[in-house]
Amino acid sequence: MQLGLIGLGKMGFNMRERLRKAGHEVVGYDRNPEVTDVASLAELAKALDAPRTVWVMVPSGEPTRQTVRELGDLLDAGDLVIDGGNSRFTDDKANATLLHEKSIGYLDCGVSGGVWGLEVGYGLMVGGEHEHVERAMPIFDALRPEGPREEGFAHAGPVGAGHFAKMVHNGIEYGLMQAYAEGFELLEASELVTDVPATIKAWQRGTVVRSWLLDLLVRALDSDPELDDLRGYVEDSGEGRWTVEEAINHSVPAPVISAALFARFASRQEDSPAMRAVAALRNQFGGHAVQKA
Amino acid sequence: MQLGLIGLGKMGFNMRERLRKAGHEVVGYDRNPEVTDVASLAELAKALDAPRTVWVMVPSGEPTRQTVRELGDLLDAGDLVIDGGNSRFTDDKANATLLHEKSIGYLDCGVSGGVWGLEVGYGLMVGGEHEHVERAMPIFDALRPEGPREEGFAHAGPVGAGHFAKMVHNGIEYGLMQAYAEGFELLEASELVTDVPATIKAWQRGTVVRSWLLDLLVRALDSDPELDDLRGYVEDSGEGRWTVEEAINHSVPAPVISAALFARFASRQEDSPAMRAVAALRNQFGGHAVQKA
Amino acid sequence: MQLGLIGLGKMGFNMRERLRKAGHEVVGYDRNPEVTDVASLAELAKALDAPRTVWVMVPSGEPTRQTVRELGDLLDAGDLVIDGGNSRFTDDKANATLLHEKSIGYLDCGVSGGVWGLEVGYGLMVGGEHEHVERAMPIFDALRPEGPREEGFAHAGPVGAGHFAKMVHNGIEYGLMQAYAEGFELLEASELVTDVPATIKAWQRGTVVRSWLLDLLVRALDSDPELDDLRGYVEDSGEGRWTVEEAINHSVPAPVISAALFARFASRQEDSPAMRAVAALRNQFGGHAVQKA
Amino acid sequence: MQLGLIGLGKMGFNMRERLRKAGHEVVGYDRNPEVTDVASLAELAKALDAPRTVWVMVPSGEPTRQTVRELGDLLDAGDLVIDGGNSRFTDDKANATLLHEKSIGYLDCGVSGGVWGLEVGYGLMVGGEHEHVERAMPIFDALRPEGPREEGFAHAGPVGAGHFAKMVHNGIEYGLMQAYAEGFELLEASELVTDVPATIKAWQRGTVVRSWLLDLLVRALDSDPELDDLRGYVEDSGEGRWTVEEAINHSVPAPVISAALFARFASRQEDSPAMRAVAALRNQFGGHAVQKA
């Protein structure tokens, strides 16, 4: 089928390629003239036959909200907008309402798979109305991995459910990575395990901890066996924070996901104000030595 | 090759079968007369040709230590004992030393894979001397999964390294399970995600969180979609505790693995003494209501 | 000086008494006719001389916001409203703006001390403009404990700073209580410490952990030595959640405060969905027994 | 009464002074000739009248165990040894048994109060037999703070209970300090609270979080308002580790105390191997940028 695709960055560029390989007609728009197919959103709207389906794949937050607003002006009743970016689920209802006023449909779609999706396919979690989901299914089927549809695609619920599911997916991802990371550090610290990369590589088959993330850790260790080419500095792009906030909103204990999030915060600090306070207290009551700044 | 195998429980029984299918000659001993091949450890020793290789697969702690002591009396110089149970790595040095005095070799082998190992093969992490490892390699090759040896088997280091690696593996496993579990609970709590099992099932392909544990969670949800046939009561068999203790011994932060361990402890409490103390304090300073026991 | 005081519950009732003891004239309003001095907010406004100072001490959230809106209608330019409740600091800017449009001043005041404040005085943290703070200082001085003003009162910053400071205070309080609670549980679990209440009582003088909360724990243990008259069920009234959310907003690691918050969530669960998932997983891979619901 | 006191460091030196002020006769021994009263342990033994009471106040672990062994050789039946250092409670039974063979009594005494004990007195938690406790009571009474005995002294249980109680006390201390520290960091991070030291100072009276540790934090902030003269580098001296290990041994959840311990470990790392692993993983799946070492 025909699809408008807005945002041709790391994710969108690959998705266009995967969709075209599957035989779909994709008109892509990006501000970067080197990758775009059309010169503007307006041209994109013109290039598509009604009823149009337009996939938004731009940074979450204001860029996505702004794009949806512009599409509200450019598209017509009966068209369908899919937000495939990492938007916070709380944005979806507003987006859907805005478009609904113009009788434009809206789906939110969480997309997992990163740079590997081009080849392997993307895991998809969708929120919205059944008829919109059905209409876009050829696109979903092309993007998702080979195999049974239900193992790489879910209609999770109404508008917002797709991004909510993706948010939880990413929260879990934080916890999984931190678990492997703590294990890696302990193996590194051990005087007994003399071949850490070989040990982790051996977990790839048969063990309880085998996973795609483990395969990626093995891949990283293959080229940098002690991971000392890089710094222990880890960004976060929001979903972990949102997951903990939703856990709090729902009174759900989330000790592991929050610990993983806080470890990232700490990784980015030159020095910890909290630990300065602890050092100061120990010095006050016990005369324990402190390190000067 | 020929192998003596002591302990034919959930793990050992399956391992005997997998080894026999691979063409090895296994003489198994278990206290349970219905599964044992020989009537006693002494008979097992007699039934094997020198130099013997004997695999111990009994409960960790005193049962394993006791078995090793008995083997020290029954075996001869040049024989080899492999402890494949979930022993704490700190037991290995003592076991090896005891056997070394009688010129009997010793390997410790962490075995992962659970009840699926019969079919899929077991992930193996071994500690000990190179020549002992080489000698037992046909057994390791039969037990480990198909595929490149190094993806399901590692010689992790000297005696103790195998069980240390397995301990860390299990610590990671605690963290992974808790991460999925927190995500599951948050999805369940959400009013947006209306089909939780379908959402989790869709993570199996293409996503960052895909793993064998996730496949098992899907399997559990297939038969019990809200997991409400069972109670949130979780035992632990030691490796998680040991991992946290070793993290402490090596000054390695382990917030995620310890949080997962503590969640298990809490799951087994009828009522939390700590939270009684918090409730009492809130009542004291703020007059907040308490629930009577 | 003269003060209008809205809300005569557990906190407000005591504050009226403390203020009157200090010689101030307090006109109190509460929906409860047994404790109120006037029949309505309108009457309260009439009963006060211009320029009026009105202290709001009603439940946080909508009740406080509603009261502020009503005061905006009833009060006059030059009057001053102080929100002394446990409002989220994010409410303060809106309240101040609304009143500012009518030239009514606004202060937010975090109040700590609970039911003991009547006798001991209340710790106060205030946000707002210097001139407003100065104007209400006689009230603050009457409410705060004896001793140097700066040890029980702070002008923490502009509007919102008082409630932000109080929120952090309460977040710390969560962590402190949980620390004592974990220690209490471990002492209870120990077979060595045979007199737990005496041990904790002995921490009241000279030790590093002495505190008012410890004194209250001793008090609770005096009447219930094992705290088994009550259940380990702990409510939370919002400030702990907000503290963790603000920690996340500011990328501040808060492992202790969040752990204390999550322990409360868990204390209120009949059964943990997360731990059901962990139990299910262990059953799936290892055939470990589960407890049926 | 007469006391032998071994170890005149930061703690022992002050204790000798406090005891002498209280009218006791103290014979002190230290390897440092500038502070010692006698030249050797043997001389100390000779200088005391039978039955002797000797207080050991040397570093925990081997130094204390070695001192106890030497005292076993130098003292006589009927004498009494008190270990007032920060020994792990697991050492006490061995010490008591060794001395018991020579009919020498043994008490373990946890001592809290740090450098302030000279002036304020020390909180004391004692393990051992009733008659030994009674015998040393004049010493305990001189060391403990003024006020009711039971508010600064406890006979917690049999041998080991004193150090167990002190260990838990210190574990709690870790949690308390971390709670204040997280709050301090969040206040510092806030753009609303413009006077952080004043805000914390105002918590000293009337609030729920008032404590001696808070007083010390105020003291530290008085001389260094942002605590930026020092680094956030925090040592630990063992008790926090032991507390978490005992929590694990007793299946007691200790999320707060362990989080405080792990924060200290992390504070001493130049770079975190765990976070290198997380950074590597993010780079692998998402192409996210890493910082080079």
Side-chain angles (χ1 to χ4, degrees):
Chain A
M1 63 181 271
Q2 197 190 46
L3 183 78
L5 176 55
I6 303 168
L8 301 167
K10 217 154 41 181
M11 291 293 285
F13 187 89
N14 282 347
M15 290 166 78
R16 178 174 61 178
E17 196 169 337
R18 186 171 172 92
L19 287 166
R20 285 179 175 165
K21 275 187 187 158
H24 296 293
E25 182 197 343
V26 183
V27 182
Y29 168 70
D30 195 278
R31 289 178 309 181
N32 177 356
E34 294 185 22
V35 296
T36 195
D37 298 321
V38 291
S40 66
L41 279 188
E43 267 192 34
L44 179 118
K46 266 184 241 159
L48 299 171
D49 306 319
R52 307 173 184 96
T53 300
V54 180
W55 186 291
V56 181
M57 204 68 195
V58 303
S60 64
E62 193 43 34
T64 292
R65 289 190 296 262
Q66 169 67 14
T67 303
V68 169
R69 281 194 299 268
E70 294 182 32
L71 288 175
D73 293 336
L74 293 166
L75 298 184
D76 298 313
D79 290 348
L80 174 64
V81 172
I82 304 168
D83 176 15
N86 269 325
S87 298
R88 192 164 188 168
F89 75 95
T90 45
D91 281 351
D92 292 313
K93 205 170 174 188
N95 288 341
T97 302
L98 184 149
L99 294 174
H100 185 71
E101 287 166 10
K102 309 185 178 189
S103 300
I104 302 168
Y106 181 84
L107 293 175
D108 56 289
C109 181
V111 176
S112 179
V115 293
W116 297 80
L118 169 58
E119 184 185 334
V120 177
Y122 302 89
L124 305 176
M125 301 137 253
V126 179
E129 291 175 28
H130 180 71
E131 61 156 300
H132 295 143
V133 174
E134 283 306 302
R135 188 164 137 195
M137 194 59 86
I139 299 298
F140 295 140
D141 276 340
L143 289 174
R144 69 170 176 82
E146 304 271 303
R149 182 188 284 165
E150 66 270 22
E151 296 186 3
F153 169 89
H155 182 188
V159 163
H163 280 136
F164 192 96
K166 177 59 168 29
M167 173 196 77
V168 174
H169 163 283
N170 280 35
I172 292 171
E173 179 189 304
Y174 276 54
L176 301 181
M177 285 197 279
Q178 189 69 22
Y180 286 118
E182 291 178 14
F184 167 73
E185 180 167 340
L186 183 51
L187 287 180
E188 283 281 314
S190 161
E191 51 297 328
L192 267 178
V193 175
T194 50
D195 194 341
V196 173
T199 299
I200 292 176
K201 187 189 272 283
W203 290 344
Q204 290 183 277
R205 292 176 185 260
T207 71
V208 176
V209 303
R210 64 192 192 261
S211 72
W212 188 57
L213 280 167
L214 182 77
D215 294 342
L216 293 180
L217 182 56
V218 169
R219 208 166 170 269
L221 290 165
D222 276 347
S223 62
D224 182 9
E226 308 218 335
L227 300 180
D228 47 14
D229 287 352
L230 45 81
R231 276 187 57 207
Y233 181 101
V234 186
E235 298 281 1
D236 76 282
S237 48
E239 294 91 346
R241 299 173 186 239
W242 304 338
T243 306
V244 177
E245 286 170 15
E246 285 312 302
I248 291 173
N249 285 343
H250 291 84
S251 302
V252 167
V256 157
I257 296 175
S258 60
L261 178 65
F262 293 144
R264 293 192 180 190
F265 291 170
S267 81
R268 306 200 296 257
Q269 297 186 314
E270 274 300 306
D271 192 43
S272 161
M275 299 321 285
R276 295 207 306 267
V278 176
L281 282 170
R282 291 183 82 240
N283 176 257
Q284 286 288 334
F285 71 70
H288 298 289
V290 293
Q291 295 206 0
K292 291 291 168 188
Chain B
M1 65 182 271
Q2 195 191 47
L3 183 78
L5 176 55
I6 302 169
L8 300 167
K10 216 154 42 181
M11 290 293 284
F13 187 90
N14 282 348
M15 291 166 80
R16 180 174 62 178
E17 196 170 335
R18 185 169 173 94
L19 287 165
R20 283 178 176 166
K21 274 187 187 156
H24 295 294
E25 181 196 343
V26 183
V27 182
Y29 169 71
D30 194 278
R31 287 178 309 181
N32 177 356
E34 293 184 24
V35 296
T36 196
D37 299 319
V38 292
S40 67
L41 279 188
E43 266 193 34
L44 179 118
K46 265 185 238 158
L48 299 171
D49 307 320
R52 307 173 184 95
T53 300
V54 179
W55 185 291
V56 181
M57 205 68 196
V58 303
S60 64
E62 191 46 30
T64 293
R65 288 190 296 262
Q66 170 66 15
T67 303
V68 168
R69 279 194 300 270
E70 292 180 35
L71 289 174
D73 292 335
L74 293 167
L75 300 183
D76 298 313
D79 290 347
L80 173 65
V81 171
I82 303 169
D83 176 15
N86 267 327
S87 297
R88 190 163 188 171
F89 75 95
T90 45
D91 281 350
D92 292 313
K93 203 170 178 188
N95 287 341
T97 302
L98 183 150
L99 295 174
H100 185 71
E101 285 166 10
K102 309 188 178 188
S103 299
I104 302 168
Y106 180 84
L107 293 174
D108 56 288
C109 180
V111 175
S112 179
V115 294
W116 298 79
L118 170 57
E119 184 185 334
V120 178
Y122 301 89
L124 305 176
M125 302 136 249
V126 179
E129 291 177 27
H130 180 70
E131 61 157 300
H132 295 142
V133 174
E134 283 305 303
R135 192 165 133 194
M137 194 60 87
I139 299 299
F140 295 140
D141 276 340
L143 289 174
R144 70 171 176 81
E146 305 271 303
R149 181 188 285 164
E150 66 269 22
E151 297 186 2
F153 169 89
H155 181 188
V159 163
H163 280 136
F164 192 97
K166 177 58 169 28
M167 175 195 76
V168 174
H169 163 283
N170 281 35
I172 292 171
E173 180 189 303
Y174 277 54
L176 301 180
M177 286 196 278
Q178 189 68 25
Y180 287 118
E182 291 178 15
F184 167 74
E185 181 167 339
L186 183 51
L187 287 180
E188 283 282 313
S190 162
E191 52 296 329
L192 267 177
V193 175
T194 51
D195 194 341
V196 173
T199 300
I200 292 176
K201 189 190 273 280
W203 290 344
Q204 289 184 279
R205 293 176 185 261
T207 71
V208 176
V209 303
R210 65 191 190 261
S211 72
W212 188 58
L213 279 167
L214 182 77
D215 294 341
L216 294 180
L217 182 55
V218 169
R219 208 165 171 271
L221 290 165
D222 277 346
S223 61
D224 182 10
E226 307 218 338
L227 299 182
D228 47 14
D229 289 351
L230 45 81
R231 277 188 55 208
Y233 181 101
V234 186
E235 297 281 0
D236 76 281
S237 48
E239 295 90 348
R241 299 172 186 240
W242 306 337
T243 306
V244 177
E245 287 170 14
E246 285 312 302
I248 291 173
N249 285 342
H250 292 84
S251 301
V252 166
V256 158
I257 297 175
S258 60
L261 177 65
F262 293 144
R264 294 192 180 191
F265 291 170
S267 81
R268 306 199 297 256
Q269 296 187 316
E270 273 301 303
D271 191 46
S272 160
M275 300 320 286
R276 294 206 307 268
V278 176
L281 283 170
R282 289 183 82 240
N283 176 257
Q284 286 288 334
F285 71 71
H288 298 289
V290 294
Q291 296 207 0
K292 291 292 168 187
Chain C
M1 64 181 271
Q2 195 191 48
L3 182 77
L5 175 55
I6 302 168
L8 301 167
K10 218 153 43 180
M11 291 293 285
F13 187 90
N14 282 347
M15 292 166 77
R16 179 173 61 177
E17 196 169 336
R18 185 170 173 94
L19 287 165
R20 284 178 175 166
K21 275 189 186 154
H24 296 293
E25 181 196 342
V26 183
V27 182
Y29 169 70
D30 194 278
R31 289 178 307 181
N32 177 356
E34 292 184 26
V35 297
T36 196
D37 299 320
V38 290
S40 66
L41 278 189
E43 266 194 35
L44 178 119
K46 267 185 240 159
L48 298 171
D49 307 319
R52 308 173 185 92
T53 301
V54 179
W55 186 291
V56 181
M57 204 67 194
V58 303
S60 63
E62 192 44 32
T64 292
R65 289 189 295 262
Q66 169 67 13
T67 303
V68 168
R69 280 193 299 268
E70 293 182 32
L71 288 175
D73 293 335
L74 293 167
L75 299 184
D76 297 313
D79 290 347
L80 173 64
V81 172
I82 303 170
D83 176 14
N86 269 326
S87 298
R88 191 164 187 168
F89 75 95
T90 45
D91 281 350
D92 291 313
K93 204 171 176 187
N95 287 341
T97 302
L98 183 149
L99 295 174
H100 185 70
E101 286 165 11
K102 308 184 179 191
S103 300
I104 302 168
Y106 181 83
L107 293 176
D108 56 289
C109 180
V111 175
S112 178
V115 293
W116 298 79
L118 170 58
E119 184 184 335
V120 177
Y122 301 90
L124 304 175
M125 301 136 252
V126 179
E129 291 176 28
H130 181 71
E131 61 157 302
H132 296 143
V133 175
E134 283 306 303
R135 188 164 137 195
M137 193 59 85
I139 298 299
F140 296 140
D141 276 339
L143 288 174
R144 70 170 176 81
E146 305 271 302
R149 180 188 286 164
E150 67 269 23
E151 297 185 3
F153 169 89
H155 181 187
V159 162
H163 279 136
F164 192 97
K166 177 57 169 31
M167 174 195 77
V168 174
H169 164 284
N170 281 35
I172 292 171
E173 180 189 303
Y174 276 55
L176 301 181
M177 285 197 278
Q178 189 69 23
Y180 286 118
E182 291 178 14
F184 167 73
E185 180 167 338
L186 183 50
L187 287 180
E188 283 282 314
S190 161
E191 52 298 328
L192 267 177
V193 174
T194 51
D195 194 341
V196 172
T199 299
I200 293 175
K201 188 190 272 283
W203 290 344
Q204 290 183 277
R205 292 175 185 261
T207 71
V208 176
V209 303
R210 64 191 193 261
S211 73
W212 188 58
L213 279 168
L214 182 76
D215 294 342
L216 293 180
L217 183 55
V218 169
R219 208 164 171 272
L221 290 166
D222 276 348
S223 62
D224 182 8
E226 308 217 338
L227 301 180
D228 47 14
D229 288 353
L230 45 80
R231 276 187 58 207
Y233 181 101
V234 186
E235 298 280 2
D236 77 282
S237 47
E239 295 91 346
R241 299 171 187 240
W242 305 337
T243 306
V244 177
E245 286 170 14
E246 285 311 302
I248 291 173
N249 285 342
H250 291 84
S251 302
V252 166
V256 158
I257 296 174
S258 60
L261 178 66
F262 293 143
R264 293 192 181 191
F265 291 170
S267 81
R268 305 199 296 255
Q269 297 186 315
E270 273 300 304
D271 191 45
S272 161
M275 300 320 286
R276 294 206 307 266
V278 176
L281 283 170
R282 289 183 83 239
N283 176 257
Q284 286 288 335
F285 70 70
H288 298 288
V290 293
Q291 295 206 1
K292 291 291 166 188
Chain D
M1 63 181 273
Q2 195 191 47
L3 184 77
L5 176 55
I6 303 168
L8 301 167
K10 219 154 41 183
M11 291 293 284
F13 188 89
N14 282 348
M15 291 166 78
R16 179 173 61 179
E17 197 169 334
R18 185 169 172 94
L19 287 166
R20 282 178 176 165
K21 275 186 186 156
H24 295 294
E25 181 196 344
V26 183
V27 182
Y29 169 70
D30 195 279
R31 287 180 308 182
N32 175 357
E34 293 184 24
V35 296
T36 197
D37 298 320
V38 291
S40 67
L41 279 189
E43 266 194 34
L44 178 118
K46 266 185 239 157
L48 299 170
D49 306 320
R52 307 172 184 95
T53 300
V54 179
W55 187 291
V56 180
M57 206 66 197
V58 303
S60 65
E62 192 45 30
T64 292
R65 289 190 295 261
Q66 169 68 13
T67 302
V68 168
R69 280 196 298 270
E70 294 181 32
L71 288 174
D73 293 335
L74 293 166
L75 300 184
D76 297 314
D79 290 349
L80 174 64
V81 171
I82 303 168
D83 176 15
N86 269 326
S87 297
R88 190 164 187 169
F89 75 94
T90 44
D91 281 350
D92 291 313
K93 204 171 177 186
N95 288 340
T97 301
L98 183 150
L99 294 174
H100 185 71
E101 286 166 9
K102 307 183 180 191
S103 300
I104 302 168
Y106 180 84
L107 293 174
D108 58 287
C109 180
V111 176
S112 178
V115 294
W116 298 79
L118 170 57
E119 185 184 332
V120 176
Y122 302 89
L124 305 176
M125 301 136 251
V126 179
E129 292 176 26
H130 181 71
E131 61 156 301
H132 295 141
V133 174
E134 284 305 302
R135 190 164 136 195
M137 194 59 86
I139 298 300
F140 296 140
D141 277 340
L143 289 174
R144 70 171 175 81
E146 304 270 303
R149 182 189 284 165
E150 66 270 22
E151 296 185 3
F153 169 89
H155 181 187
V159 162
H163 280 135
F164 192 97
K166 178 57 169 29
M167 175 195 78
V168 174
H169 163 284
N170 281 35
I172 292 171
E173 180 189 303
Y174 276 55
L176 302 181
M177 287 197 278
Q178 188 69 24
Y180 287 118
E182 291 178 15
F184 167 74
E185 180 166 338
L186 183 51
L187 288 180
E188 283 281 313
S190 161
E191 51 297 328
L192 268 178
V193 175
T194 50
D195 194 341
V196 173
T199 299
I200 293 176
K201 188 190 271 282
W203 290 345
Q204 290 184 280
R205 292 176 186 262
T207 70
V208 176
V209 303
R210 65 192 192 260
S211 73
W212 188 58
L213 279 167
L214 182 77
D215 295 341
L216 294 180
L217 182 57
V218 169
R219 208 167 171 270
L221 290 165
D222 277 346
S223 62
D224 182 10
E226 308 217 336
L227 300 180
D228 48 13
D229 288 352
L230 45 80
R231 276 186 56 207
Y233 180 101
V234 186
E235 297 280 1
D236 77 282
S237 48
E239 294 91 348
R241 299 172 186 239
W242 305 336
T243 306
V244 177
E245 287 170 14
E246 285 311 303
I248 292 173
N249 286 342
H250 291 84
S251 301
V252 166
V256 157
I257 297 175
S258 60
L261 178 65
F262 293 144
R264 293 192 180 191
F265 291 170
S267 81
R268 305 200 295 256
Q269 295 186 317
E270 273 300 304
D271 191 45
S272 159
M275 300 320 286
R276 294 206 307 267
V278 176
L281 282 171
R282 289 183 84 239
N283 176 257
Q284 285 288 333
F285 70 72
H288 298 288
V290 293
Q291 295 206 359
K292 292 292 169 188

